[in-house]
Structures are given as C-alpha cells and as structure tokens.
Amino acid sequence: MLDNHMTLMEPAGKGLIYNGTLVRDKGEMLSLTDMWKAAGADPQQAPAKWRALPSTQTFIDHVSDIVGKSDIIRSGRGRTGATFAHWQIAMAYAKYLSPEFHMWCNSVVRAHMEGTKAPGIPADTLEQIERSFGIMRMVAHKVTEIEKSLPGIVANLIEPLVAARLAESALLLRSGRTAKQIYDAHGLPPGIKGMMVWFGNRLAEGGCLLEGRADRGEKAIRLFDPDKAETLLGLGLLHKTKVYASERMGQRRLKLVEAAE
C-alpha cells in the first residue's frame, strides 16, 4: 500500500507527482533534479554528487551498452537547468535517494515508463543490472573502510615484527660465540694473519654457524653454537687448527730469516 502523500500519476504529458512535487518526464527520460527535490533535496544526494561516484558511471555505461544509446543522460545549464536521464538510470538514482521513494518509483514510475511505446530494457535484465550496481556500491564501501583502517593495521603488524627481530638479535648475542672467542678459549696461538677467517670457515663447514648475523657496533658478525663447536673441536678440528697455525707461524719465521739474510 502506498502512503497517503503519494499521488500516483497525473494525466499523460504532465509528469508524475510525489509528495506534491512534479517529476517531469520526456519520452524515456526522467528529471533526476525533480526526483531529488521530491525525495527531500539532501545536498549530499544531489544528482551531480551521485553521478560523480565511480560505481554510478559504471552503471550508466552498462545501461548505455544495453539500450544502445550514448545520449542517455543530459544536464541543463544555469540555475533553472535540470538533469534528465534514461528512466532505467533514474530508477537506480531513486534507490540511492531513499527506500520509500524507490518503492514508489518501482510501482508508479516503472508502470508509467513501461507503458510508453519506446523500447526499454527487459525487467529481468534491469534486475541483474541493479543487483550488480548494489554489489558495486557495497564493495566500494568496504574498500573505503579498509583504506581508512590500513595505517592502524600496518602499525600493529610492524611493532611485533620489530620486537621479534630485536629478540632474535639479542638471543644470538647471548647464546652465540665468535670464531675468535672459541679460538682464544682453547689457548691457540694469537696474532696469525687470516687465522680467524680460516677458523670461522671450518666451524661453518662443520654446521656450527647460527642462522642470521648479529650486529656489534657498525659490523655484522658471524656467531657460532659453542656446544657444537666444542664437539667439532674434539673430533679433530682442534688438532687440525694447531697444525695449520704451526705451519703459518713457520712460514712467517721463514720469511723473517730470509729478510735478515
């Protein structure tokens, strides 16, 4: 049942009346400006603002493809100008304005426009277009909400990642040992050039290297598992290191002798 304030239809040629406001029609076109005024003239729902929505333009393109006309929406100039659109587009605008006005347009405007001789879009096709239009509006709204909340989401993700990275570095520093620390702990000969690189490579080959590198000052260093290193040294690396160190020291003494001669 329609509300008492809804007058169904004036005689042909005079347009339609809603809540005492004339909604003009021209062939297949309806005045969006009149519809806006009849529905309450909310400035935020003016025809120009509605047409500016990306989802609205997509819907207009769909109607244009189906109807086969490019000139399906026109705007007049000046203060007294009005925007007219194909009645199928006007029905979508009615849904945007208010549920009550959309219901009235569904029962009165549709009947009036489908009674004209001009061909329109089949009802089932229009229903599919309107459903797609509604889905697009819903998706656009959700995307906007996601964009608004994105900075907070990113901030909430970054903080625990940074904390985890710091904790990982702290764990490496607490539990790992450098090649020099392990080397010195076993009383091996100091001051041999390149010895720590050779020793660290042997530890790494033996599976003692900890994942990641710890930062000490401006330098990133390799850290090794002291327990694994101890096992590896007991299996022969300690002896091998002593032999290698002895050879390097012997070469250095040889060079010193040659230089003295």
Side-chain angles (χ1 to χ4, degrees), residues 13 15-16 24 67 78 127 144 168 170 180 207 216 222:
L16 306 170
R24 291 167 291 174
V67 173
E127 184 179 353
T144 300
E168 180 183 354
K180 187 176 187 309
R216 287 190 175 178
R222 295 186 296 177

Side-chain angles (χ1 to χ4, degrees), residues 16-251:
L16 306 170
I17 304 294
Y18 179 86
N19 201 20
T21 301
L22 173 66
V23 179
R24 291 167 291 174
D25 64 293
K26 295 180 180 180
E28 291 183 296
M29 312 283 279
L30 281 174
S31 171
L32 300 187
T33 305
D34 293 346
M35 294 173 66
W36 171 64
K37 292 177 180 178
D42 183 347
Q44 297 302 316
Q45 293 181 311
K49 288 186 176 290
W50 179 68
R51 289 181 62 186
L53 298 174
S55 54
T56 299
Q57 189 55 55
T58 302
F59 178 76
I60 291 174
D61 292 341
H62 275 299
V63 175
S64 177
D65 291 341
I66 295 175
V67 173
K69 297 179 181 180
S70 58
D71 188 22
I72 59 174
I73 186 164
R74 297 191 295 268
S75 296
R77 296 181 178 179
R79 296 180 60 184
T80 58
T83 299
F84 279 82
H86 189 278
W87 71 273
Q88 306 283 19
I89 296 174
M91 294 296 290
Y93 183 48
K95 186 175 183 179
Y96 173 80
L97 289 171
S98 76
E100 297 80 12
F101 186 62
H102 183 228
M103 181 183 71
W104 177 77
C105 288
N106 264 335
S107 58
V108 178
V109 176
R110 186 187 294 273
H112 174 65
M113 300 308 295
E114 288 182 344
T116 62
K117 294 181 180 180
I121 301 175
D124 57 343
T125 303
L126 176 63
E127 184 179 353
Q128 293 178 3
I129 293 175
E130 290 183 341
R131 187 181 299 114
S132 299
F133 179 65
I135 292 173
M136 284 187 290
R137 284 183 61 189
M138 180 182 66
V139 171
H141 173 73
K142 289 186 177 296
V143 169
T144 300
E145 292 300 316
I146 291 173
E147 288 176 344
K148 289 180 181 178
S149 60
L150 192 56
I153 294 174
V154 172
N156 290 335
L157 287 174
I158 289 177
E159 185 175 347
L161 287 175
V162 171
R165 183 66 183 90
L166 291 174
E168 180 183 354
S169 297
L171 178 61
L172 284 174
L173 289 171
R174 287 196 305 270
S175 61
R177 296 289 184 274
T178 65
K180 187 176 187 309
Q181 288 174 329
I182 297 172
Y183 184 91
D184 291 344
H186 288 81
L188 294 166
I192 303 175
K193 186 178 179 180
M195 191 65 196
M196 291 308 107
V197 175
W198 180 89
F199 186 61
N201 290 340
R202 303 292 81 74
L203 291 174
E205 290 171 357
C208 302
L209 183 65
L210 294 173
E211 291 186 7
R213 294 198 176 199
D215 296 327
R216 287 190 175 178
E218 298 180 354
K219 189 176 181 181
I221 58 176
R222 295 186 296 177
L223 292 178
F224 302 91
D225 186 321
D227 295 329
K228 290 183 178 179
E230 195 65 31
T231 300
L232 186 63
L233 288 164
L235 292 174
L237 179 59
L238 181 59
H239 174 71
K240 184 176 181 180
T241 303
K242 289 179 179 179
V243 172
Y244 182 77
S246 177
E247 291 174 351
R248 293 297 303 273
M249 291 175 67
Q251 291 173 1

